[in-house]
Amino acid sequence: DLVVMASDGLWDNVRGEELVSLVGSSAENTANKIVTLAAQRKNENLRGNHCDEDRRDCVGGRKDDISIIIAKV
């Protein structure tokens, strides 16, 4: 099993369901996939926020750092 801890720079740009789909058996491969997607999304989302109708589920829209720790347990 892998545990993923991350700053809001990840969670603002990648939904939990998407993150789960990236998790594999290797912590290093999982980290590479997550960082690649988060960085890509951050760059795409800097053009503006993407929210659902009630504005409770917003993604991206601002510069932020992305910090991720993955632990194999």
Side-chain angles (χ1 to χ4, degrees):
D1 292 339
L2 298 177
V3 175
V4 178
M5 296 174 281
S7 68
D8 65 332
L10 173 68
W11 303 117
D12 286 348
N13 294 293
V14 179
R15 297 178 187 273
E17 307 85 50
E18 293 175 300
L19 184 78
V20 169
S21 73
L22 298 175
V23 174
S25 59
S26 163
E28 184 176 349
N29 287 342
T30 298
N32 288 334
K33 290 178 190 177
I34 291 171
V35 168
T36 299
L37 178 60
Q40 177 185 19
R41 285 284 174 76
K42 183 176 91 171
N43 290 334
E44 291 170 1
N45 291 336
L46 285 174
R47 295 184 190 99
N49 282 336
H50 302 281
C51 301
D52 61 5
E53 286 184 21
D54 61 7
R55 300 197 54 80
R56 285 190 287 165
D57 193 13
C58 297
V59 177
R62 59 193 168 277
K63 292 183 180 182
D64 203 348
D65 64 328
I66 298 172
S67 301
I68 302 169
I69 298 171
I70 299 179
K72 189 170 184 172
V73 294

Short mmCIF file of all heavy atoms in Angstrom, two decimals:
data_model
loop_
_atom_site.label_atom_id
_atom_site.label_comp_id
_atom_site.label_asym_id
_atom_site.label_seq_id
_atom_site.Cartn_x
_atom_site.Cartn_y
_atom_site.Cartn_z
N ASP A 1 0.84 -1.19 0.00
CA ASP A 1 0.00 0.00 0.00
C ASP A 1 0.88 1.24 0.00
O ASP A 1 1.97 1.24 0.57
CB ASP A 1 -0.89 0.03 1.24
CG ASP A 1 -1.94 -1.06 1.24
OD1 ASP A 1 -2.25 -1.59 0.15
OD2 ASP A 1 -2.45 -1.39 2.32
N LEU A 2 0.38 2.30 -0.61
CA LEU A 2 1.07 3.58 -0.63
C LEU A 2 0.21 4.63 0.04
O LEU A 2 -1.01 4.64 -0.12
CB LEU A 2 1.36 4.02 -2.06
CG LEU A 2 2.27 3.13 -2.89
CD1 LEU A 2 2.40 3.69 -4.30
CD2 LEU A 2 3.64 3.02 -2.26
N VAL A 3 0.85 5.51 0.81
CA VAL A 3 0.18 6.66 1.42
C VAL A 3 0.70 7.90 0.71
O VAL A 3 1.91 8.08 0.57
CB VAL A 3 0.48 6.73 2.93
CG1 VAL A 3 -0.12 7.99 3.53
CG2 VAL A 3 -0.02 5.49 3.65
N VAL A 4 -0.23 8.76 0.27
CA VAL A 4 0.14 9.98 -0.42
C VAL A 4 -0.23 11.17 0.46
O VAL A 4 -1.39 11.33 0.83
CB VAL A 4 -0.57 10.10 -1.79
CG1 VAL A 4 -0.21 11.41 -2.47
CG2 VAL A 4 -0.23 8.92 -2.68
N MET A 5 0.77 11.98 0.81
CA MET A 5 0.55 13.23 1.54
C MET A 5 1.02 14.35 0.62
O MET A 5 2.08 14.23 -0.01
CB MET A 5 1.35 13.24 2.84
CG MET A 5 0.92 12.16 3.81
SD MET A 5 1.98 12.09 5.26
CE MET A 5 3.37 11.17 4.57
N ALA A 6 0.23 15.41 0.53
CA ALA A 6 0.59 16.47 -0.42
C ALA A 6 0.04 17.81 0.02
O ALA A 6 -0.93 17.89 0.76
CB ALA A 6 0.05 16.12 -1.80
N SER A 7 0.69 18.85 -0.50
CA SER A 7 0.24 20.21 -0.24
C SER A 7 -0.96 20.54 -1.13
O SER A 7 -1.32 19.79 -2.05
CB SER A 7 1.38 21.19 -0.54
OG SER A 7 1.65 21.21 -1.93
N ASP A 8 -1.55 21.68 -0.87
CA ASP A 8 -2.71 22.10 -1.66
C ASP A 8 -2.36 22.34 -3.12
O ASP A 8 -3.23 22.35 -3.97
CB ASP A 8 -3.38 23.33 -1.05
CG ASP A 8 -2.49 24.56 -1.07
OD1 ASP A 8 -1.26 24.42 -1.05
OD2 ASP A 8 -3.04 25.68 -1.09
N GLY A 9 -1.07 22.50 -3.42
CA GLY A 9 -0.67 22.64 -4.81
C GLY A 9 -1.03 21.43 -5.65
O GLY A 9 -1.31 21.53 -6.84
N LEU A 10 -1.06 20.26 -5.02
CA LEU A 10 -1.53 19.06 -5.71
C LEU A 10 -3.05 19.02 -5.72
O LEU A 10 -3.67 18.87 -6.76
CB LEU A 10 -0.99 17.80 -5.05
CG LEU A 10 -1.57 16.50 -5.60
CD1 LEU A 10 -1.10 16.27 -7.03
CD2 LEU A 10 -1.23 15.31 -4.73
N TRP A 11 -3.66 19.15 -4.55
CA TRP A 11 -5.11 18.97 -4.43
C TRP A 11 -5.90 20.04 -5.17
O TRP A 11 -7.04 19.79 -5.56
CB TRP A 11 -5.51 18.92 -2.96
CG TRP A 11 -4.79 17.84 -2.23
CD1 TRP A 11 -3.92 18.00 -1.19
CD2 TRP A 11 -4.83 16.43 -2.50
NE1 TRP A 11 -3.42 16.78 -0.79
CE2 TRP A 11 -3.96 15.80 -1.58
CE3 TRP A 11 -5.49 15.63 -3.42
CZ2 TRP A 11 -3.75 14.43 -1.55
CZ3 TRP A 11 -5.27 14.27 -3.39
CH2 TRP A 11 -4.43 13.67 -2.47
N ASP A 12 -5.32 21.21 -5.39
CA ASP A 12 -6.00 22.25 -6.17
C ASP A 12 -6.05 21.91 -7.65
O ASP A 12 -6.83 22.50 -8.39
CB ASP A 12 -5.31 23.61 -6.01
CG ASP A 12 -5.57 24.24 -4.66
OD1 ASP A 12 -6.45 23.76 -3.93
OD2 ASP A 12 -4.88 25.23 -4.34
N ASN A 13 -5.19 21.00 -8.08
CA ASN A 13 -5.06 20.72 -9.51
C ASN A 13 -5.41 19.30 -9.93
O ASN A 13 -5.61 19.04 -11.10
CB ASN A 13 -3.64 21.05 -9.97
CG ASN A 13 -3.35 22.52 -9.86
OD1 ASN A 13 -3.92 23.32 -10.58
ND2 ASN A 13 -2.49 22.90 -8.93
N VAL A 14 -5.45 18.38 -8.98
CA VAL A 14 -5.75 16.98 -9.30
C VAL A 14 -6.82 16.49 -8.33
O VAL A 14 -6.69 16.62 -7.12
CB VAL A 14 -4.49 16.09 -9.17
CG1 VAL A 14 -4.81 14.64 -9.47
CG2 VAL A 14 -3.39 16.60 -10.09
N ARG A 15 -7.88 15.95 -8.87
CA ARG A 15 -8.97 15.40 -8.04
C ARG A 15 -8.54 14.07 -7.43
O ARG A 15 -7.72 13.35 -7.99
CB ARG A 15 -10.22 15.20 -8.88
CG ARG A 15 -10.77 16.49 -9.44
CD ARG A 15 -12.00 16.21 -10.30
NE ARG A 15 -12.44 17.39 -10.99
CZ ARG A 15 -13.28 18.28 -10.48
NH1 ARG A 15 -13.76 18.10 -9.29
NH2 ARG A 15 -13.64 19.33 -11.19
N GLY A 16 -9.12 13.76 -6.28
CA GLY A 16 -8.79 12.53 -5.58
C GLY A 16 -8.97 11.29 -6.42
O GLY A 16 -8.15 10.37 -6.39
N GLU A 17 -10.05 11.24 -7.20
CA GLU A 17 -10.32 10.08 -8.05
C GLU A 17 -9.22 9.90 -9.10
O GLU A 17 -8.85 8.79 -9.44
CB GLU A 17 -11.67 10.20 -8.77
CG GLU A 17 -12.86 10.49 -7.90
CD GLU A 17 -13.04 11.97 -7.61
OE1 GLU A 17 -13.04 12.81 -8.52
OE2 GLU A 17 -13.17 12.29 -6.41
N GLU A 18 -8.73 11.02 -9.62
CA GLU A 18 -7.65 10.95 -10.60
C GLU A 18 -6.37 10.45 -9.95
O GLU A 18 -5.64 9.65 -10.54
CB GLU A 18 -7.40 12.33 -11.21
CG GLU A 18 -8.53 12.84 -12.06
CD GLU A 18 -8.27 14.25 -12.53
OE1 GLU A 18 -8.12 15.14 -11.68
OE2 GLU A 18 -8.21 14.44 -13.76
N LEU A 19 -6.12 10.92 -8.75
CA LEU A 19 -4.92 10.50 -8.03
C LEU A 19 -4.93 8.99 -7.80
O LEU A 19 -3.94 8.31 -8.03
CB LEU A 19 -4.81 11.24 -6.70
CG LEU A 19 -3.57 10.94 -5.91
CD1 LEU A 19 -2.39 11.70 -6.49
CD2 LEU A 19 -3.77 11.29 -4.46
N VAL A 20 -6.07 8.47 -7.38
CA VAL A 20 -6.18 7.03 -7.13
C VAL A 20 -5.87 6.24 -8.39
O VAL A 20 -5.21 5.20 -8.33
CB VAL A 20 -7.58 6.69 -6.58
CG1 VAL A 20 -7.81 5.19 -6.55
CG2 VAL A 20 -7.76 7.28 -5.19
N SER A 21 -6.30 6.73 -9.54
CA SER A 21 -6.06 6.01 -10.78
C SER A 21 -4.58 5.98 -11.16
O SER A 21 -4.16 5.15 -11.96
CB SER A 21 -6.89 6.60 -11.93
OG SER A 21 -6.37 7.84 -12.33
N LEU A 22 -3.77 6.88 -10.60
CA LEU A 22 -2.34 6.95 -10.91
C LEU A 22 -1.49 6.09 -9.98
O LEU A 22 -0.32 5.83 -10.28
CB LEU A 22 -1.85 8.40 -10.82
CG LEU A 22 -2.48 9.39 -11.79
CD1 LEU A 22 -1.98 10.80 -11.49
CD2 LEU A 22 -2.17 9.02 -13.22
N VAL A 23 -2.06 5.67 -8.87
CA VAL A 23 -1.28 4.92 -7.87
C VAL A 23 -0.99 3.52 -8.38
O VAL A 23 -1.89 2.80 -8.82
CB VAL A 23 -2.02 4.87 -6.52
CG1 VAL A 23 -1.29 3.97 -5.53
CG2 VAL A 23 -2.17 6.27 -5.95
N GLY A 24 0.29 3.15 -8.33
CA GLY A 24 0.72 1.82 -8.74
C GLY A 24 1.47 1.15 -7.61
O GLY A 24 1.41 1.59 -6.46
N SER A 25 2.20 0.11 -7.92
CA SER A 25 2.91 -0.63 -6.88
C SER A 25 4.24 0.04 -6.50
O SER A 25 4.75 -0.19 -5.42
CB SER A 25 3.17 -2.06 -7.33
OG SER A 25 3.93 -2.06 -8.53
N SER A 26 4.79 0.87 -7.36
CA SER A 26 6.07 1.53 -7.10
C SER A 26 5.85 2.97 -6.67
O SER A 26 5.19 3.74 -7.37
CB SER A 26 6.92 1.51 -8.37
OG SER A 26 7.96 2.45 -8.29
N ALA A 27 6.41 3.34 -5.52
CA ALA A 27 6.28 4.71 -5.03
C ALA A 27 6.93 5.70 -6.00
O ALA A 27 6.38 6.77 -6.26
CB ALA A 27 6.91 4.83 -3.64
N GLU A 28 8.08 5.33 -6.56
CA GLU A 28 8.78 6.23 -7.48
C GLU A 28 7.98 6.47 -8.76
O GLU A 28 7.83 7.61 -9.21
CB GLU A 28 10.16 5.68 -7.83
CG GLU A 28 10.97 6.63 -8.69
CD GLU A 28 12.38 6.13 -8.95
OE1 GLU A 28 12.81 5.15 -8.32
OE2 GLU A 28 13.04 6.73 -9.81
N ASN A 29 7.45 5.42 -9.36
CA ASN A 29 6.64 5.57 -10.58
C ASN A 29 5.37 6.35 -10.29
O ASN A 29 4.95 7.19 -11.10
CB ASN A 29 6.30 4.21 -11.18
CG ASN A 29 7.49 3.56 -11.84
OD1 ASN A 29 8.48 4.21 -12.15
ND2 ASN A 29 7.41 2.26 -12.03
N THR A 30 4.75 6.09 -9.15
CA THR A 30 3.54 6.81 -8.77
C THR A 30 3.85 8.29 -8.60
O THR A 30 3.11 9.15 -9.09
CB THR A 30 2.95 6.23 -7.47
OG1 THR A 30 2.58 4.87 -7.70
CG2 THR A 30 1.73 7.01 -7.02
N ALA A 31 4.95 8.61 -7.92
CA ALA A 31 5.33 10.01 -7.71
C ALA A 31 5.56 10.71 -9.05
O ALA A 31 5.11 11.84 -9.24
CB ALA A 31 6.59 10.07 -6.85
N ASN A 32 6.24 10.06 -9.96
CA ASN A 32 6.50 10.66 -11.28
C ASN A 32 5.21 10.95 -12.02
O ASN A 32 5.05 12.01 -12.62
CB ASN A 32 7.41 9.76 -12.11
CG ASN A 32 8.83 9.76 -11.61
OD1 ASN A 32 9.29 10.70 -10.99
ND2 ASN A 32 9.54 8.67 -11.87
N LYS A 33 4.27 10.01 -11.99
CA LYS A 33 2.99 10.21 -12.67
C LYS A 33 2.21 11.37 -12.04
O LYS A 33 1.64 12.21 -12.75
CB LYS A 33 2.14 8.94 -12.58
CG LYS A 33 2.64 7.80 -13.41
CD LYS A 33 1.73 6.60 -13.20
CE LYS A 33 2.27 5.33 -13.80
NZ LYS A 33 1.41 4.19 -13.50
N ILE A 34 2.19 11.42 -10.72
CA ILE A 34 1.43 12.46 -10.02
C ILE A 34 2.05 13.83 -10.28
O ILE A 34 1.34 14.79 -10.59
CB ILE A 34 1.38 12.16 -8.51
CG1 ILE A 34 0.51 10.92 -8.25
CG2 ILE A 34 0.83 13.36 -7.74
CD1 ILE A 34 0.57 10.41 -6.83
N VAL A 35 3.36 13.94 -10.16
CA VAL A 35 4.02 15.23 -10.38
C VAL A 35 3.82 15.71 -11.81
O VAL A 35 3.54 16.89 -12.05
CB VAL A 35 5.53 15.13 -10.04
CG1 VAL A 35 6.29 16.34 -10.53
CG2 VAL A 35 5.70 14.96 -8.54
N THR A 36 3.93 14.81 -12.77
CA THR A 36 3.74 15.19 -14.17
C THR A 36 2.33 15.73 -14.40
O THR A 36 2.16 16.79 -15.01
CB THR A 36 4.00 13.97 -15.09
OG1 THR A 36 5.35 13.55 -14.91
CG2 THR A 36 3.75 14.32 -16.54
N LEU A 37 1.31 15.01 -13.91
CA LEU A 37 -0.07 15.46 -14.10
C LEU A 37 -0.32 16.77 -13.36
O LEU A 37 -0.93 17.69 -13.92
CB LEU A 37 -1.06 14.40 -13.65
CG LEU A 37 -2.53 14.79 -13.77
CD1 LEU A 37 -2.91 15.10 -15.22
CD2 LEU A 37 -3.43 13.70 -13.20
N ALA A 38 0.14 16.88 -12.12
CA ALA A 38 -0.11 18.09 -11.34
C ALA A 38 0.54 19.31 -11.98
O ALA A 38 -0.08 20.38 -12.06
CB ALA A 38 0.41 17.90 -9.91
N ALA A 39 1.76 19.18 -12.46
CA ALA A 39 2.44 20.30 -13.11
C ALA A 39 1.73 20.69 -14.40
O ALA A 39 1.56 21.88 -14.69
CB ALA A 39 3.89 19.94 -13.38
N GLN A 40 1.30 19.71 -15.17
CA GLN A 40 0.57 19.98 -16.41
C GLN A 40 -0.73 20.71 -16.10
O GLN A 40 -1.06 21.70 -16.73
CB GLN A 40 0.29 18.66 -17.13
CG GLN A 40 -0.52 18.82 -18.39
CD GLN A 40 -0.86 17.47 -19.00
OE1 GLN A 40 -0.80 16.43 -18.34
NE2 GLN A 40 -1.21 17.48 -20.26
N ARG A 41 -1.47 20.21 -15.12
CA ARG A 41 -2.73 20.83 -14.75
C ARG A 41 -2.54 22.24 -14.21
O ARG A 41 -3.32 23.13 -14.51
CB ARG A 41 -3.44 20.01 -13.66
CG ARG A 41 -4.06 18.77 -14.17
CD ARG A 41 -5.36 19.10 -14.92
NE ARG A 41 -5.88 17.91 -15.53
CZ ARG A 41 -6.49 16.95 -14.86
NH1 ARG A 41 -6.68 17.04 -13.57
NH2 ARG A 41 -6.92 15.88 -15.49
N LYS A 42 -1.51 22.43 -13.40
CA LYS A 42 -1.26 23.75 -12.84
C LYS A 42 -1.07 24.75 -13.96
O LYS A 42 -1.65 25.84 -13.94
CB LYS A 42 -0.04 23.73 -11.92
CG LYS A 42 0.23 25.05 -11.24
CD LYS A 42 1.37 24.95 -10.27
CE LYS A 42 2.65 25.29 -10.98
NZ LYS A 42 3.80 25.44 -10.10
N ASN A 43 -0.28 24.39 -14.97
CA ASN A 43 -0.05 25.29 -16.09
C ASN A 43 -1.33 25.54 -16.88
O ASN A 43 -1.59 26.65 -17.30
CB ASN A 43 1.04 24.72 -17.00
CG ASN A 43 2.39 24.77 -16.35
OD1 ASN A 43 2.65 25.59 -15.49
ND2 ASN A 43 3.27 23.86 -16.74
N GLU A 44 -2.14 24.51 -17.09
CA GLU A 44 -3.41 24.67 -17.80
C GLU A 44 -4.37 25.54 -17.02
O GLU A 44 -5.05 26.40 -17.57
CB GLU A 44 -4.06 23.31 -18.05
CG GLU A 44 -3.34 22.43 -19.02
CD GLU A 44 -3.89 21.02 -19.05
OE1 GLU A 44 -4.86 20.72 -18.31
OE2 GLU A 44 -3.34 20.19 -19.78
N ASN A 45 -4.43 25.33 -15.70
CA ASN A 45 -5.42 25.99 -14.87
C ASN A 45 -5.08 27.42 -14.51
O ASN A 45 -5.92 28.15 -14.00
CB ASN A 45 -5.65 25.18 -13.59
CG ASN A 45 -6.34 23.87 -13.86
OD1 ASN A 45 -7.03 23.74 -14.86
ND2 ASN A 45 -6.16 22.91 -12.99
N LEU A 46 -3.84 27.85 -14.77
CA LEU A 46 -3.49 29.23 -14.47
C LEU A 46 -4.30 30.21 -15.32
O LEU A 46 -4.38 31.39 -15.01
CB LEU A 46 -1.99 29.47 -14.68
CG LEU A 46 -1.11 28.89 -13.59
CD1 LEU A 46 0.36 29.05 -13.96
CD2 LEU A 46 -1.40 29.54 -12.26
N ARG A 47 -4.92 29.70 -16.36
CA ARG A 47 -5.75 30.55 -17.22
C ARG A 47 -7.07 30.92 -16.54
O ARG A 47 -7.77 31.80 -16.99
CB ARG A 47 -6.02 29.85 -18.54
CG ARG A 47 -4.76 29.65 -19.34
CD ARG A 47 -5.06 29.03 -20.70
NE ARG A 47 -3.83 28.63 -21.34
CZ ARG A 47 -3.36 27.40 -21.34
NH1 ARG A 47 -4.02 26.42 -20.75
NH2 ARG A 47 -2.23 27.12 -21.95
N GLY A 48 -7.43 30.22 -15.46
CA GLY A 48 -8.67 30.54 -14.75
C GLY A 48 -9.19 29.35 -13.98
O GLY A 48 -8.83 28.21 -14.25
N ASN A 49 -10.00 29.64 -12.97
CA ASN A 49 -10.58 28.58 -12.16
C ASN A 49 -11.59 27.77 -12.95
O ASN A 49 -12.29 28.30 -13.81
CB ASN A 49 -11.29 29.16 -10.93
CG ASN A 49 -10.32 29.56 -9.85
OD1 ASN A 49 -9.21 29.06 -9.79
ND2 ASN A 49 -10.73 30.48 -9.02
N HIS A 50 -11.66 26.50 -12.64
CA HIS A 50 -12.66 25.62 -13.22
C HIS A 50 -13.49 25.08 -12.06
O HIS A 50 -12.99 24.35 -11.23
CB HIS A 50 -11.98 24.47 -13.98
CG HIS A 50 -11.07 24.96 -15.06
ND1 HIS A 50 -11.53 25.40 -16.27
CD2 HIS A 50 -9.73 25.13 -15.09
CE1 HIS A 50 -10.51 25.79 -17.02
NE2 HIS A 50 -9.41 25.64 -16.32
N CYS A 51 -14.75 25.50 -11.98
CA CYS A 51 -15.59 25.16 -10.83
C CYS A 51 -16.89 24.53 -11.30
O CYS A 51 -17.36 24.78 -12.41
CB CYS A 51 -15.94 26.40 -10.02
SG CYS A 51 -14.50 27.29 -9.39
N ASP A 52 -17.50 23.75 -10.39
CA ASP A 52 -18.84 23.28 -10.68
C ASP A 52 -19.82 24.41 -10.37
O ASP A 52 -19.43 25.49 -9.93
CB ASP A 52 -19.16 21.99 -9.91
CG ASP A 52 -19.11 22.15 -8.41
OD1 ASP A 52 -18.91 23.29 -7.93
OD2 ASP A 52 -19.26 21.14 -7.71
N GLU A 53 -21.10 24.18 -10.59
CA GLU A 53 -22.10 25.25 -10.48
C GLU A 53 -22.16 25.90 -9.11
O GLU A 53 -22.33 27.11 -9.00
CB GLU A 53 -23.48 24.72 -10.86
CG GLU A 53 -23.65 24.52 -12.34
CD GLU A 53 -25.05 24.10 -12.71
OE1 GLU A 53 -25.98 24.33 -11.92
OE2 GLU A 53 -25.21 23.54 -13.80
N ASP A 54 -22.04 25.13 -8.05
CA ASP A 54 -22.15 25.72 -6.71
C ASP A 54 -20.81 26.24 -6.17
O ASP A 54 -20.72 26.68 -5.05
CB ASP A 54 -22.78 24.74 -5.72
CG ASP A 54 -21.99 23.46 -5.55
OD1 ASP A 54 -20.87 23.37 -6.10
OD2 ASP A 54 -22.49 22.56 -4.87
N ARG A 55 -19.77 26.19 -7.01
CA ARG A 55 -18.44 26.71 -6.71
C ARG A 55 -17.80 26.06 -5.48
O ARG A 55 -16.92 26.61 -4.86
CB ARG A 55 -18.45 28.23 -6.56
CG ARG A 55 -18.93 28.94 -7.82
CD ARG A 55 -18.59 30.40 -7.86
NE ARG A 55 -17.20 30.73 -7.67
CZ ARG A 55 -16.24 30.66 -8.60
NH1 ARG A 55 -16.53 30.23 -9.80
NH2 ARG A 55 -15.01 31.03 -8.33
N ARG A 56 -18.24 24.85 -5.12
CA ARG A 56 -17.63 24.15 -4.00
C ARG A 56 -16.50 23.24 -4.47
O ARG A 56 -15.68 22.81 -3.67
CB ARG A 56 -18.66 23.32 -3.24
CG ARG A 56 -19.55 24.18 -2.37
CD ARG A 56 -20.37 23.33 -1.47
NE ARG A 56 -21.40 22.67 -2.26
CZ ARG A 56 -22.12 21.65 -1.84
NH1 ARG A 56 -21.93 21.14 -0.67
NH2 ARG A 56 -23.04 21.12 -2.61
N ASP A 57 -16.45 22.93 -5.74
CA ASP A 57 -15.45 22.00 -6.26
C ASP A 57 -14.64 22.71 -7.34
O ASP A 57 -14.84 22.51 -8.53
CB ASP A 57 -16.15 20.76 -6.82
CG ASP A 57 -15.17 19.63 -7.09
OD1 ASP A 57 -14.02 19.71 -6.62
OD2 ASP A 57 -15.56 18.67 -7.76
N CYS A 58 -13.71 23.58 -6.92
CA CYS A 58 -12.91 24.36 -7.85
C CYS A 58 -11.54 23.73 -8.02
O CYS A 58 -11.00 23.14 -7.09
CB CYS A 58 -12.74 25.78 -7.34
SG CYS A 58 -14.29 26.69 -7.22
N VAL A 59 -10.97 23.91 -9.20
CA VAL A 59 -9.66 23.34 -9.50
C VAL A 59 -8.78 24.45 -10.06
O VAL A 59 -9.17 25.14 -10.98
CB VAL A 59 -9.78 22.20 -10.52
CG1 VAL A 59 -8.40 21.67 -10.88
CG2 VAL A 59 -10.66 21.09 -10.00
N GLY A 60 -7.58 24.59 -9.50
CA GLY A 60 -6.54 25.46 -10.06
C GLY A 60 -6.84 26.93 -10.03
O GLY A 60 -7.63 27.41 -9.23
N GLY A 61 -6.15 27.66 -10.89
CA GLY A 61 -6.39 29.08 -11.06
C GLY A 61 -5.39 29.99 -10.41
O GLY A 61 -5.50 31.19 -10.50
N ARG A 62 -4.37 29.47 -9.72
CA ARG A 62 -3.39 30.33 -9.10
C ARG A 62 -2.04 29.60 -9.02
O ARG A 62 -2.00 28.38 -9.00
CB ARG A 62 -3.84 30.76 -7.72
CG ARG A 62 -4.10 29.61 -6.77
CD ARG A 62 -4.83 30.10 -5.53
NE ARG A 62 -5.31 29.01 -4.76
CZ ARG A 62 -6.43 28.34 -4.97
NH1 ARG A 62 -7.21 28.66 -5.98
NH2 ARG A 62 -6.82 27.35 -4.21
N LYS A 63 -0.98 30.38 -8.95
CA LYS A 63 0.34 29.78 -8.81
C LYS A 63 0.47 29.18 -7.42
O LYS A 63 -0.01 29.74 -6.45
CB LYS A 63 1.43 30.82 -9.03
CG LYS A 63 1.49 31.32 -10.45
CD LYS A 63 2.62 32.29 -10.62
CE LYS A 63 2.66 32.77 -12.05
NZ LYS A 63 3.77 33.70 -12.28
N ASP A 64 1.13 28.06 -7.32
CA ASP A 64 1.30 27.39 -6.04
C ASP A 64 2.43 26.37 -6.17
O ASP A 64 2.74 25.92 -7.27
CB ASP A 64 0.01 26.69 -5.63
CG ASP A 64 -0.08 26.46 -4.14
OD1 ASP A 64 0.93 26.62 -3.43
OD2 ASP A 64 -1.17 26.10 -3.67
N ASP A 65 3.03 26.03 -5.05
CA ASP A 65 4.02 24.96 -5.07
C ASP A 65 3.30 23.62 -5.01
O ASP A 65 2.14 23.54 -4.63
CB ASP A 65 4.99 25.10 -3.90
CG ASP A 65 4.30 24.94 -2.56
OD1 ASP A 65 3.12 25.32 -2.44
OD2 ASP A 65 4.94 24.43 -1.63
N ILE A 66 4.00 22.59 -5.42
CA ILE A 66 3.46 21.23 -5.36
C ILE A 66 4.45 20.39 -4.56
O ILE A 66 5.58 20.15 -5.01
CB ILE A 66 3.27 20.64 -6.76
CG1 ILE A 66 2.25 21.47 -7.55
CG2 ILE A 66 2.81 19.19 -6.67
CD1 ILE A 66 2.14 21.07 -9.01
N SER A 67 4.04 20.00 -3.37
CA SER A 67 4.87 19.13 -2.52
C SER A 67 4.15 17.82 -2.30
O SER A 67 2.97 17.81 -1.96
CB SER A 67 5.13 19.80 -1.17
OG SER A 67 5.78 21.02 -1.35
N ILE A 68 4.87 16.72 -2.51
CA ILE A 68 4.26 15.39 -2.40
C ILE A 68 5.21 14.46 -1.66
O ILE A 68 6.41 14.43 -1.95
CB ILE A 68 3.96 14.79 -3.80
CG1 ILE A 68 3.04 15.71 -4.59
CG2 ILE A 68 3.35 13.40 -3.67
CD1 ILE A 68 2.91 15.33 -6.05
N ILE A 69 4.65 13.72 -0.71
CA ILE A 69 5.40 12.67 -0.02
C ILE A 69 4.62 11.38 -0.22
O ILE A 69 3.41 11.33 0.03
CB ILE A 69 5.53 12.96 1.49
CG1 ILE A 69 6.31 14.24 1.71
CG2 ILE A 69 6.19 11.78 2.20
CD1 ILE A 69 6.31 14.72 3.14
N ILE A 70 5.31 10.34 -0.68
CA ILE A 70 4.68 9.03 -0.86
C ILE A 70 5.44 8.03 -0.01
O ILE A 70 6.67 7.93 -0.11
CB ILE A 70 4.67 8.60 -2.34
CG1 ILE A 70 3.87 9.61 -3.15
CG2 ILE A 70 4.11 7.20 -2.48
CD1 ILE A 70 3.81 9.30 -4.62
N ALA A 71 4.71 7.30 0.82
CA ALA A 71 5.33 6.30 1.69
C ALA A 71 4.74 4.94 1.39
O ALA A 71 3.52 4.80 1.26
CB ALA A 71 5.10 6.66 3.14
N LYS A 72 5.60 3.95 1.27
CA LYS A 72 5.14 2.57 1.10
C LYS A 72 4.98 1.96 2.48
O LYS A 72 5.90 2.00 3.29
CB LYS A 72 6.14 1.77 0.27
CG LYS A 72 5.63 0.41 -0.11
CD LYS A 72 6.55 -0.22 -1.13
CE LYS A 72 5.93 -1.54 -1.55
NZ LYS A 72 6.64 -2.14 -2.67
N VAL A 73 3.80 1.45 2.75
CA VAL A 73 3.52 0.85 4.07
C VAL A 73 3.14 -0.61 3.94
O VAL A 73 2.72 -1.06 2.91
CB VAL A 73 2.41 1.61 4.83
CG1 VAL A 73 2.88 3.00 5.17
CG2 VAL A 73 1.14 1.67 4.02
#
